[in-house]
Amino acid sequence: MEDPTLIPPTDIPAEQRSLGMWMHLTPLLATFASFIIPIPFLSLIATYIIYSTQKDKGAFVLENGKESVNFQITLAIAIVAIMIILVVVFGGSIMSTIMGGQFGNDAATGVGVVGLVGSGIFMILAFSLIGIGALVLMIIGTMRANNGNVYRYPVSLRLVK
């Protein structure tokens, strides 16, 4: 979702296009790096560092940087929310399984086991959908910025203005 009213693509210098592209490419590379160096929210940290050091290079870089940082913040909030839900559901399922076994209640034990399996499936689906969606959107953002367009992520909170 580009906003062509901001800056005409033909008026953007190559250096700004390159920096705009890196605003979207940095979190993508940081995501892959986090598999090697497990730092929580590495993509958000890397994106914010690039944004804060390069935002003065031009309006195009600033706009792409804000969009990228906002998207990474949105992803971080979504991941934290899912983790809280999983802790509650998973913890409740474990408690149900333990208490059911302790007091001989097979129904409670069964519910606990189903909850454990269900929360595991939910976790796999939720993180897969978020990961694949984020990957696709960051690639699109990288390509659009390289072409001289400011990419607006369709699912993003606008916190950095």
Side-chain angles (χ1 to χ4, degrees):
M1 317 325 191
E2 312 109 43
D3 188 356
T5 60
L6 289 176
I7 305 166
T10 55
D11 296 342
I12 309 218
E15 179 188 0
Q16 285 191 30
R17 284 184 190 212
S18 178
L19 287 172
M21 178 191 73
W22 279 103
M23 293 293 177
H24 300 282
L25 189 58
T26 298
L28 186 62
L29 296 175
T31 300
F32 291 120
S34 67
F35 291 117
I36 299 168
I37 307 166
I39 299 173
F41 306 111
L42 181 62
S43 59
L44 174 59
I45 295 165
T47 304
Y48 184 75
I49 290 171
I50 292 291
Y51 168 72
S52 63
T53 60
Q54 302 298 318
K55 66 183 177 182
D56 298 330
K57 301 284 179 154
F60 181 74
V61 177
L62 177 70
E63 289 301 315
N64 275 292
K66 284 193 283 190
E67 284 300 314
S68 186
V69 169
N70 282 329
F71 185 62
Q72 294 306 312
I73 291 170
T74 303
L75 287 175
I77 291 170
I79 289 169
V80 168
I82 290 172
M83 292 303 290
I84 290 170
I85 291 168
L86 284 172
V87 165
V88 170
V89 171
F90 199 75
S93 298
I94 288 174
M95 288 303 295
S96 179
T97 303
I98 292 170
M99 298 305 276
Q102 186 74 20
F103 295 109
N105 187 340
D106 291 336
T109 303
V111 168
V113 170
V114 169
L116 290 172
V117 172
S119 61
I121 291 171
F122 172 76
M123 180 182 71
I124 291 168
L125 287 175
F127 286 127
S128 296
L129 289 174
I130 288 173
I132 292 169
L135 176 73
V136 168
L137 291 175
M138 286 186 279
I139 290 171
I140 292 171
T142 300
M143 292 179 353
R144 297 266 173 94
N146 193 40
N147 290 333
N149 297 306
V150 175
Y151 182 67
R152 302 270 182 235
Y153 287 93
V155 183
S156 182
L157 300 172
R158 307 277 184 240
L159 301 173
V160 176
K161 304 225 182 231

